[in-house]
Amino acid sequence: KMSAVFLLLLVSTANVGAVLEKGLPRREPRRLSCVRCCGPSEQPVSIISSRYTRMSSDPAYSVPKVQPTIDITILKGEKGEMGEKGYPGAVGKEGERGLRGLNGRKGQKGQPGPQGHSCKQLYAAFSVGRRKPLHSSDYFQHVTFDTEFVNLYKHFNMFSGKFFCYVAGVYYFSLNVHTWNFKETYLHLMKNEKEVAILYAQPSDRSIMQSQSLMLDLQEGEEVWVRMFKRERENAIYSEESDVYIIFNGHLIKPAVE
């Protein structure tokens, strides 16, 4: 009797297993992926690195790309030498005239000048000469004088060879020289630093007297003097100790203030 019961339980268990096997889906056994090993001359690849390779190929596990940047200021070299100066550019158009500025502050009152002399003579005159000959050694050479004929109020400076205008007005000046044989004679009558008249004589086998004269309107403080001008030829003026061949004259014709 006990045998019959055990047999019945065994058959029931077999039927239930058959029913469950028919009703439930059959699962495929999990297959392991093949991983390449290595050859005799290669290093073995670890399972972790192989797994990382499989994961990196999957978009879900893709690693973002990193774009490196370079700071140019770090790579900047030393400052170079200054180049040559370029040509000046074209002149631009003239701009419009600006607005008039504000009036400045009124200056302080100046000190009174020296009291004038009621008997002051508004006149000037000089006549000087040179007893020594002179050869030009420089491109420009100042002519000085050693003989004083007339020097009213000492307006002509014998040391500098210049007439200094103390009384403004119209003046008359004249220059007389003696040329040298076979040498050029070239002189300038100067007003301040500008030549206003020329005395010239070409080289000749005979020496001659040469003169030049003019009138000038001078302001107080201006100067009149004589200089030699040397070119390619030798330049010279002649004179002797026993006589005067070089004379410079000047006098006031009309003062600016009567």
Side-chain angles (χ1 to χ4, degrees):
K1 204 171 191 175
M2 288 295 292
S3 300
V5 173
F6 179 75
L7 183 59
L8 182 60
L9 292 174
L10 183 62
V11 172
S12 299
T13 303
N15 292 333
V16 171
V19 173
L20 292 174
E21 186 176 2
K22 291 180 180 181
L24 295 175
R26 188 176 182 180
R27 294 184 62 182
E28 291 291 333
R30 185 176 180 182
R31 296 180 181 180
L32 297 176
S33 60
C34 296
V35 178
R36 180 178 178 275
C37 189
C38 58
S41 61
E42 297 178 349
Q43 295 293 332
V45 179
S46 63
I47 298 176
I48 297 175
S49 63
S50 175
R51 183 179 180 184
Y52 174 77
T53 304
R54 294 196 308 272
M55 291 177 63
S56 62
S57 61
D58 191 348
Y61 297 99
S62 62
V63 180
K65 294 183 179 181
V66 179
Q67 185 68 26
T69 58
I70 300 175
D71 190 355
I72 300 178
T73 58
I74 301 176
L75 303 178
K76 187 177 180 180
E78 297 181 357
K79 186 176 180 181
E81 297 181 357
M82 185 175 182
E84 297 180 357
K85 186 177 180 180
Y87 294 101
V91 180
K93 296 182 179 179
E94 185 177 357
E96 297 180 358
R97 186 175 182 179
L99 300 176
R100 184 176 181 179
L102 301 175
N103 294 330
R105 295 181 179 180
K106 186 177 180 180
Q108 298 180 356
K109 186 176 180 180
Q111 298 180 356
Q115 185 176 0
H117 197 282
S118 58
C119 299
K120 181 180 179 181
Q121 298 291 332
L122 297 178
Y123 199 75
F126 73 92
S127 179
V128 294
R130 180 182 176 92
R131 296 181 180 272
K132 296 180 181 179
L134 182 64
H135 287 77
S136 60
S137 57
D138 297 325
Y139 189 69
F140 293 124
Q141 185 170 346
H142 192 168
V143 179
T144 57
F145 301 87
D146 50 26
T147 303
E148 184 180 79
F149 299 110
V150 176
N151 193 3
L152 194 61
Y153 308 120
K154 301 298 181 181
H155 290 181
F156 189 91
N157 190 326
M158 296 296 294
F159 179 77
S160 64
K162 294 183 178 182
F163 169 76
F164 187 89
C165 178
Y166 288 95
V167 182
V170 178
Y171 284 80
Y172 174 83
F173 296 95
S174 64
L175 176 64
N176 299 273
V177 300
H178 195 288
T179 64
W180 203 307
N181 295 355
F182 305 106
K183 296 179 182 180
E184 189 176 45
T185 301
Y186 204 145
L187 295 97
H188 287 152
L189 273 169
M190 305 291 296
K191 177 183 176 182
N192 299 323
E193 297 301 323
K194 182 180 180 181
E195 62 271 11
V196 292
I198 296 174
L199 188 153
Y200 178 77
Q202 292 183 347
S204 175
D205 57 348
R206 295 193 303 175
S207 60
I208 59 174
M209 292 294 298
Q210 193 80 346
S211 65
Q212 179 64 282
S213 60
L214 77 163
M215 288 191 294
L216 294 174
D217 188 2
L218 300 181
Q219 302 296 323
E220 186 175 354
E222 293 186 312
E223 296 176 322
V224 179
W225 51 289
V226 181
R227 77 177 181 188
M228 297 183 71
F229 175 52
K230 182 180 180 181
R231 301 194 297 179
E232 295 81 6
R233 300 173 180 175
E234 188 177 4
N235 188 5
I237 49 179
Y238 177 80
S239 190
E240 294 180 355
E241 290 288 345
S242 59
D243 206 347
V244 180
Y245 289 89
I246 304 168
I247 298 176
F248 184 31
N249 300 321
H251 66 272
L252 177 64
I253 297 175
K254 182 179 182 299
V257 179
E258 293 289 351

